[in-house]
Amino acid sequence: MGADSVYSLRSCKGLAGALLISRFGQVLLDLAASNMSFSHQRAMLCLTVAGLLAGVSGCQDTARKPIQAHVIQIAPPPPVEPESPLPIDTRVLLNVQIAPFAPNGIDWLAAQCTAAFEAGELDFRAGHLGSAREEFDQALDQLLSSGFDIEADARLSGLYRKIVESVHTDELQAFRQGDGFQEQQSTPAPIDEIANDAIPEIDTADPNLLKTVQGEVNSVAHDLPLTVNDQVLSFLNYFKTPKGSAIVETGLRRAGRYRDMVERVLQEEGMPLDLMYLAQAESAFQPQAVSKAGARGMWQFMSFAGRKYGLQKSWWIDERQDPEKATRAAARDLRDLYDQFGDWYLAMAAYNSGAGAVQHAIEKTGYADFWELHKRNVLPKETRNYVPIILALTVISKDPGRYGVHFEPEPAIKADAIKPGQPIDLRLAAETIDTDIDTLRALNPQLLRLVTPNDPEFVLRIPEGSAERFFAEIAAIPPEKWVSWRQHKVEQGETLSGVAKQFHVLPSEIAEVNDLPANAPLEEGQKLIIPAAERAGSDTGKLLRYRVRRTDTIASIADEFDVTPAELRKWNHLKSDRISRGVNLKVYPGGLSAAPAKQEARRTANSNSLVAQRETGSEAPVIEARATSVVHHVKSGETLWSIARAYRTTVEAIRNGNAYLFSRPLQVGDTLTILPVH
């Protein structure tokens, strides 16, 4: 049934139209409650629809002609066993597309989805997580099954993004609060702070103001067009206020950390260097900045936009907060938007509100010019202010002293990039190189937790010049203990029993792993390995429950929590990868450790060869720990998972060391190179 037919049904006037629609609904209900087979249900419905369409053709005459009812007797089909209790979907039965809404359907859809979403927010704040989840799912289901092209409509696409981002944020917050997980603290995004402030009017008493500022702009080098008009002047005035000036100073001070990196990446991507000031406006160069809408990082990516440009998010990391990766993603995003609109101001506006909103505004007015769209009030208020804010900040940043802004830039970040190859607690990593946890977190703002992900390719940044020392000291601790054991630097007057009491272990256990005699005196500055038990606060392997969403798969959930699909199936006694929405799954983020072999007190450092480079070029050099390889011949019944467990490594590490496994399954007789061996 086409959209026109359905619309005719809905617009039938008089008793005939009402009876036809009523009859159609009744048939659907009767079929849904029947025990007929799927094929019989389809046949019956097709007969009914044919009759209805015939009736509809006479709808226009119902006001003049009396209604004549013709009762058709249809013999019931022979009883058969039902094939399956499938719900009736008229679009599937008729193999046609039924128009979901009348011509004003977008208004109706937006209102329904908004109501469901707001009800979910209320339930969530009241602590009714189950009800909130159902409301959120209902809002998303209505959008996704509506038949409308969501991306083509700015209102629907904006509503979809709002729901997805809010639901995701709320769910993770609920999980973490319920299970005691600790995540790094975020910082409010300055762009929100500016938007909420009253912007002072320009000084109309000074007729030379515009001319003066324009002359200042012309005197400085710039590679983006710098228009100065009343809107830009208003924000220049705002940034002269105490609050506005503080925002500028904070951003320019922190820009010292990242300026060299940002300029290098923009040059490598062939982009104007003045685009740096988008990060000044969005986040004041704060990697942990979070907007009210859920955008994160220096460049304020929403999660769906971040994924589009390769920024991954999991339980352990959020690469939107990785300064270099996010800078490269932003450069590519802005390049794509410039290619689409051919204008930097429109590209910046689209970066803020989405390409769909800008395109819709252009089509509505016929003007592909930001200032015309601004004047005609067809862009969101935030977007109308966004471009003038960036231009004002660019003008000030070119010559801060002229605008009364004084600051001392922070030193550029210099670090060694290493691949530990195993998950490691940041506290242990800090203890091996005598630094503090805050330093490591500042160097690795993409880490959401105190433990690095179970990814052999994960790159950890540590203070410059400390890579060799890290590998030398960490070699004494079994890799499977990097998330639980600690190191301790002895202070003056400390004893073995005192240290043991501090870490809740026995003095004999510390003495054993450090090859010390019982009650041995300790020397100030001496490093001790602490064989701590698995801590309750550790993020790895702690049970949580995850409720399956509409779009989830076993693979996507496994990826989110750094586990394998096989582990998820095992923990939840699943015989296949099929899961139903609303089911609660047991999840142990990072997986459960394999049963440890006999503990070794020390590991020799000469098994590690270092390839040390400093982080100065366009490519981030990495220092890796490489262990002696072992050859394994695959036997019948073995899997990559069982082999990885046997050698205390990961499936990913085995695949990376044996490239042919990416193109075909494991086979009996294959020769595998296993590295590292634990």
Side-chain angles (χ1 to χ4, degrees), residues 22 138 159 205 236 241 258 327 361 366 491 507 602:
S22 174
Q138 178 184 341
L159 181 59
L236 282 173
T241 66
Y258 304 108
T327 299
E491 298 180 0
R602 290 186 179 273

Side-chain angles (χ1 to χ4, degrees), residues 225-344:
L226 292 183
T227 299
V228 179
N229 54 25
D230 289 351
Q231 289 75 35
V232 176
L233 290 175
S234 293
F235 283 102
L236 282 173
N237 275 356
Y238 169 75
F239 290 124
K240 291 179 182 178
T241 66
K243 188 172 184 179
S245 179
I247 292 175
V248 177
E249 289 179 11
T250 298
L252 291 178
R253 184 175 66 252
R254 290 184 59 85
R257 292 190 182 192
Y258 304 108
R259 179 179 295 276
D260 292 346
M261 178 274 292
V262 172
E263 289 184 346
R264 169 173 58 79
V265 171
L266 291 175
Q267 285 177 336
E268 290 171 359
E269 297 294 332
M271 301 296 284
L273 299 186
D274 285 346
L275 289 176
M276 174 187 302
Y277 300 110
L278 269 77
Q280 166 86 355
E282 293 275 15
S283 67
F285 293 98
Q286 298 175 100
Q288 282 112 354
V290 180
S291 75
K292 292 180 180 178
R296 279 184 177 268
M298 275 173 40
W299 296 90
Q300 289 291 281
F301 274 101
M302 300 292 279
S303 62
F304 65 91
R307 286 193 298 270
K308 179 180 178 181
Y309 289 94
L311 301 178
Q312 302 301 313
K313 185 181 186 306
S314 73
W315 181 258
W316 311 100
I317 62 171
D318 191 336
E319 290 182 341
R320 294 178 294 172
Q321 297 181 182
D322 184 307
E324 181 160 349
K325 288 185 177 181
T327 299
R328 195 170 300 279
R332 293 174 179 177
D333 190 3
L334 286 162
R335 181 172 57 202
D336 290 346
L337 293 170
Y338 180 77
D339 290 343
Q340 178 177 347
F341 294 105
D343 178 272
W344 280 118

Side-chain angles (χ1 to χ4, degrees), residues 419-442:
K419 286 184 179 179
Q422 291 282 127
I424 185 170
D425 191 306
L426 291 186
R427 289 165 289 194
L428 176 62
E431 289 158 358
T432 61
I433 54 178
D434 289 332
T435 189
D436 57 87
I437 191 68
D438 290 338
T439 297
L440 287 188
R441 282 194 146 174

Side-chain angles (χ1 to χ4, degrees), residues 316 420-429 431-432 447 449-455 458 460 470 474 477-487 503 529-542 562 589-594 596 678:
W316 311 100
Q422 291 282 127
I424 185 170
D425 191 306
L426 291 186
R427 289 165 289 194
L428 176 62
E431 289 158 358
T432 61
L447 285 173
R449 316 197 176 279
L450 286 174
V451 178
T452 64
N454 186 19
D455 177 6
F458 175 76
L460 179 69
F470 169 82
I474 204 66
I477 299 177
E480 66 270 17
K481 298 300 183 184
W482 289 359
V483 296
S484 56
W485 286 19
R486 299 285 292 273
Q487 267 198 347
F503 287 95
I529 297 170
I530 309 297
E534 199 71 42
R535 294 185 301 280
S538 174
D539 291 338
T540 301
K542 185 169 183 178
D562 260 346
L592 294 172
S593 302
H678 298 155

Side-chain angles (χ1 to χ4, degrees), residues 49 52 59 65 75-76 100 108 141 171 227 302 350 361 409 441 459 472 599:
V49 172
L52 288 175
C59 260
K65 296 180 180 180
W108 185 90
D141 285 348
E171 286 176 344
T227 299
M302 300 292 279
R441 282 194 146 174
V459 174
Q599 294 179 355

